[in-house]
Amino acid sequence: EEDLEEAIKNFNKAIEIDPQSSKSYYFRAKAKDVLGDIDGFEEDIDKAIELDPKNYALHLSRGINNTFKGNKDKALKNYETAIALNPNNPKSYWAKGTTLSYMAKEKEAIANFNKAISINSNYAEAYSSRAYSLSKLGDYENAISDYDRAIEIDTEDADSYNFRGLLKLENLNNPQQAKNDFLTAQKINPDIGNPYFNRAKEKFRSEKYQEAIDDSSKAIDMNQNDSDAYCLRGSAKEELEDLKGACEDWKKAAELGNEEAAKLVEENCA
């Protein structure tokens, strides 16, 4: 963090010397993004775009920021601009596909993942993202094949092991192979957490709040002390205007030591 703050100071000096340097604004924006200064990131990335409007990477970064903030329509426009400026960059198609998936437009998402893979056949993230969209369409066998390919490319892809395990458990009736995938995911990343909770986060991000509640409940069934699952379930209930249920979950999460939940209780639960 100290290194990033020092970097921002250096970029400040660079901008003072050359206020027309889009690169200085861009790199300062990236540093601010890592530090969680979203407003600062947006201000700098917009300035960089103003100075260098034909730089596809700037529009791509802005799009990813808009996706993160839930501004999906704006994000899609950013990606379309990035693709028009550089139609051979696979990340732009992957990012567009991911946003379309969040909007439950799986067929359109898959078309973009296909394009990303056609440009880079070793793009692990595109395979894993396409697998997730295929699974939402009920095409479990091809989803498994895509997770297999993602893991073949990136053997440390804990998320793909996790989601492949869920498919094996719920749709292919193979609990032993599912368990092996979950254990591998946890070995790669001990902090990866419960597979149902991970899927609940994806459902919440896609604004499928009832499905997020269902998966959070499954996560809680596996671990009664999963404060993050209680907190997320509470937030999903709030989105469905069940404030009483939300407060019950947030209070439970707060009792388990979840600081975010404690803040939500203070702000929303009299």
Side-chain angles (χ1 to χ4, degrees), residues 89-218:
N89 181 265
K91 188 172 182 179
S92 297
Y93 295 100
W94 168 78
K96 183 181 177 183
T98 300
T99 304
L100 288 165
S101 180
Y102 291 156
M103 300 169 76
K105 297 181 178 181
E106 304 305 337
K107 291 182 179 180
E108 292 179 53
I110 288 169
N112 279 275
F113 298 140
N114 290 344
K115 183 63 177 178
I117 290 167
S118 73
I119 296 170
N120 179 2
S121 60
N122 291 315
Y123 196 172
E125 286 178 303
Y127 284 103
S128 61
S129 296
R130 187 173 70 178
Y132 190 73
S133 288
L134 287 167
S135 71
K136 289 204 272 188
L137 293 176
D139 188 352
Y140 304 121
E141 289 189 8
N142 281 320
I144 290 283
S145 295
D146 270 355
Y147 282 130
D148 290 344
R149 178 60 178 146
I151 290 167
E152 179 185 350
I153 296 167
D154 180 3
T155 57
E156 299 294 303
D157 185 353
D159 286 332
S160 286
Y161 279 107
N162 226 354
F163 284 116
R164 188 177 70 176
L166 280 174
L167 288 181
K168 290 177 178 178
L169 179 65
E170 296 187 330
N171 304 109
L172 300 182
N173 194 27
N174 198 328
Q176 186 55 52
Q177 285 190 15
K179 181 180 178 181
N180 291 339
D181 275 348
F182 295 150
L183 291 173
T184 302
Q186 290 170 356
K187 184 177 180 181
I188 294 168
N189 178 9
D191 298 324
I192 194 169
N194 188 298
Y196 286 111
F197 175 67
N198 289 333
R199 190 171 66 181
K201 288 190 292 184
E202 293 293 329
K203 297 294 186 182
F204 187 89
R205 193 180 302 169
S206 300
E207 300 179 10
K208 296 182 178 181
Y209 301 118
Q210 185 57 55
E211 292 179 39
I213 289 169
D214 294 341
D215 274 341
S216 296
S217 297
K218 291 178 182 178

